[in-house]
Amino acid sequence: MFEWLSELAREKLYLNTGMHISGNSELIIDNCRRIEECNEVYMRLVSGGLTVDIRGNGLRAYDFSTGGLVIRGCIEQIGLTERRSRRENETTSESKRQGEKAV
């Protein structure tokens, strides 16, 4: 119902994900909230409404405390997946429970 207001607030407060790529050696991600997985060949991050998957070699994360994240190394692939809101997750799990009761 208030999705448009939420989107407008994100745009005005700069809460959306911003990415800056320098060749295949550096990636800067703005508004990075959480690092879910991190090693030399794979990183999974949460930024804004997206989950960001990064694959490569020699990956290292820098400057997480600045509200963004700098990733350096040989970046081979970047994948973006839209995250579902908490409300959508609750609705989906509730409908699954109701479907199980009906059977």
Side-chain angles (χ1 to χ4, degrees), residues 49-63:
L50 297 174
T51 300
V52 182
D53 295 314
I54 303 152
R55 296 183 189 278
N57 291 310
L59 300 177
R60 300 258 187 233
Y62 299 91
D63 297 332

Side-chain angles (χ1 to χ4, degrees), residues 16-94:
N16 285 329
T17 302
M19 292 187 205
H20 309 278
I21 301 171
S22 297
N24 70 335
S25 61
E26 184 176 71
L27 173 65
I28 301 169
I29 302 175
D30 298 327
N31 296 321
C32 183
R33 292 187 197 172
R34 182 173 66 235
I35 300 173
E36 290 188 342
E37 190 172 337
C38 180
N39 59 50
E40 288 187 2
V41 295
Y42 177 74
M43 291 189 183
R44 177 182 214 112
L45 318 167
V46 174
S47 179
L50 297 174
T51 300
V52 182
D53 295 314
I54 303 152
R55 296 183 189 278
N57 291 310
L59 300 177
R60 300 258 187 233
Y62 299 91
D63 297 332
F64 185 64
S65 63
T66 62
L69 183 66
V70 177
I71 298 171
R72 293 188 181 118
C74 182
I75 299 168
E76 297 172 359
Q77 183 179 14
I78 301 170
L80 305 173
T81 307
E82 190 172 359
R83 295 176 59 225
R84 293 163 68 181
S85 69
R86 227 181 249 164
R87 186 173 190 87
E88 287 176 4
N89 287 338
E90 290 172 2
T91 305
T92 303
S93 61
E94 185 177 314

